[in-house]
Amino acid sequence: MSDQPELFDVTIIGGGPAGMYTAFYSGMRDLKTKLIDANQELGGKMLIYPEKVIWDVGGVTPILCRQLIDQLKRQALTFDPTIVLEEQVVSMDRQEDGTYMLTTASGNKHWTRTVILAIGYGILKMAKLEIEGADRYEITNLHYTVQELEPFRGKHVLISGGGDSAVDWANALEPVAERVTVVHRREEFGGHEKNIALMKASSVHVRTPFTVYQLHSSGGARIEEVTIRHADTGETECFAVDAVIVNHGMRSDFGPVRDWGLDMGEWNVNVSEKLETNLPGVFAAGDFVSYGSKVRLIAGAFTDAVLALNSAKLYIDPEAPKAAYVSSHNERFKEKNKALGSLE
């Protein structure tokens, strides 16, 4: 067919840490690679928390999320994969020859021998504060994510939530804001133990089990006071605030992915230890996958990427080596090492 799109060896759907590292490792294995993402830029879920400090990536000292995104982007582009942004894949159809034709919401077609799904939890939307009229403050001082810390300097900040994000923002804002109050509907927090202990040992005011009950504004443009209510007794407290940050988690929507014939649970796709899905030639990596020894860290996403890509390589060429040579012995880096001035 004259309008048949170009055939790629691997097409990665999703541009978060798993997708970006898959693109890099696919280049190490000398595969013709394409990455498709629905967002305007690469980064995936990490784009929501650009000022969050990441501590748990091997060999990387504490780094801002936006800086880690930049480094992952540069690494992903090492072998010049084709990157397609602002395109949501809505169908995945297996052809008679075993290849796949992907179709996006705009009608564009993408042809590929294998597919690696790195879509995380699908399209994510922040869970909103369920108080009537709260949305009118979103243009002023009601926030669902924090892009920069500096605007909160010297302010009275209330954070509603009890997961990792709420705890992380409390710790990040504690030395910046005049006062940080964390309101959580349960006594126990759901974040990492060390970060919770750090928050509780600091000057952060922790109010549990409370929920945000009312938002008050004399002029209607900004939240000036907040009333919180005890989850058990109904007791209320009211205090002045300069800003409210809501971290009630995110709602996930996999959209048409559930219609592709994948063996999926509520939040994940089930895969083998080799990151194979139940569909031939379709593999998965990152938060989207579920298997016995799955590690839900960014570092774990990198391992998933390697396993999924190696499986894709062997699917295309069963006689290929089971894994790429390490970078110090990989021919694909020879010229790049010269450009860096490395010794041969």
Side-chain angles (χ1 to χ4, degrees):
M1 291 170 39
S2 59
D3 59 348
Q4 186 85 331
E6 187 178 2
L7 179 63
F8 282 76
D9 294 321
V10 175
T11 296
I12 304 153
I13 304 177
M20 286 190 281
Y21 195 76
T22 302
F24 166 71
Y25 190 75
S26 186
M28 286 182 67
R29 303 231 57 185
D30 200 20
L31 293 172
K32 187 175 181 179
T33 309
K34 177 182 285 186
L35 186 153
I36 305 173
D37 191 81
N39 290 316
Q40 294 180 340
E41 58 182 308
L42 296 174
K45 182 180 175 182
M46 294 194 300
L47 293 169
I48 299 172
Y49 309 113
E51 293 295 322
K52 186 175 179 178
V53 179
I54 307 295
W55 288 77
D56 53 7
V57 177
V60 179
T61 53
I63 184 172
L64 289 177
C65 197
R66 57 178 168 80
Q67 294 173 326
L68 183 58
I69 292 172
D70 288 341
Q71 292 186 186
L72 284 168
K73 283 180 185 177
R74 291 197 296 271
Q75 186 181 48
L77 297 175
T78 300
F79 299 105
D80 300 315
T82 296
I83 306 293
V84 179
L85 299 175
E86 297 185 83
E87 289 277 351
Q88 181 188 1
V89 178
V90 295
S91 68
M92 180 178 70
D93 301 303
R94 194 165 190 244
Q95 309 298 290
E96 290 184 3
D97 62 357
T99 62
Y100 282 90
M101 190 66 71
L102 309 177
T103 305
T104 67
S106 64
N108 290 327
K109 303 283 186 181
H110 302 271
W111 191 23
T112 185
R113 290 189 171 90
T114 62
V115 178
I116 296 181
L117 301 170
I119 61 175
Y121 296 106
I123 296 175
L124 297 174
K125 296 181 180 179
M126 288 290 191
K128 297 295 186 77
L129 186 63
E130 295 181 353
I131 293 178
E132 186 176 354
D135 56 343
R136 69 175 180 267
Y137 300 114
E138 291 178 16
I139 61 173
T140 55
N141 62 340
L142 174 60
H143 310 273
Y144 289 99
T145 186
V146 176
Q147 299 295 320
E148 298 179 43
L149 299 179
E150 195 58 32
F152 299 96
R153 184 169 297 280
K155 304 293 180 64
H156 290 195
V157 181
L158 180 142
I159 300 173
S160 178
D164 281 322
S165 296
V167 173
D168 288 346
W169 287 131
N171 288 331
L173 287 168
E174 188 268 342
V176 175
E178 175 69 22
R179 176 187 175 100
V180 176
T181 302
V182 174
V183 175
H184 182 39
R185 61 193 173 93
R186 289 192 288 267
E187 294 286 359
E188 299 299 322
F189 285 82
H192 293 298
E193 296 94 333
K194 187 175 183 65
N195 294 337
I196 294 169
L198 178 64
M199 176 185 72
K200 289 183 175 180
S202 72
S203 65
V204 172
H205 299 264
V206 176
R207 305 296 291 129
T208 60
F210 278 86
T211 59
V212 176
Y213 182 53
Q214 290 179 318
L215 308 176
H216 308 283
S217 174
S218 58
R222 299 176 62 84
I223 302 168
E224 296 170 0
E225 293 182 327
V226 171
T227 296
I228 62 174
R229 183 169 66 174
H230 195 281
D232 298 326
T233 67
E235 165 197 0
T236 60
E237 299 177 16
C238 184
F239 49 87
V241 298
D242 296 305
V244 175
I245 300 171
V246 177
N247 290 129
H248 290 178
M250 289 174 284
R251 294 192 173 94
S252 166
D253 182 6
F254 288 111
V257 173
R258 290 197 178 275
D259 300 325
W260 295 357
L262 293 161
D263 176 18
M264 288 182 63
E266 184 178 2
W267 302 109
N268 312 102
V269 66
N270 296 312
V271 295
S272 71
E273 292 289 322
K274 296 180 180 179
L275 282 295
E276 304 157 312
T277 73
N278 59 303
L279 301 179
V282 179
F283 310 90
D287 284 338
F288 186 47
V289 305
S290 177
Y291 59 96
S293 56
K294 170 65 182 169
V295 175
R296 298 200 176 278
L297 293 172
I298 292 175
F302 301 154
T303 299
D304 288 350
V306 171
L307 293 173
L309 197 284
N310 283 336
S311 293
K313 176 75 174 184
L314 291 171
Y315 179 85
I316 294 169
D317 179 8
E319 300 302 317
K322 292 183 179 180
Y325 290 112
V326 296
S327 60
S328 57
H329 293 80
N330 192 309
E331 283 295 316
R332 299 227 71 193
F333 291 99
K334 190 171 183 179
E335 293 302 317
K336 295 181 183 298
N337 286 339
K338 288 181 180 178
L340 292 173
S342 301
L343 295 175
E344 293 186 60

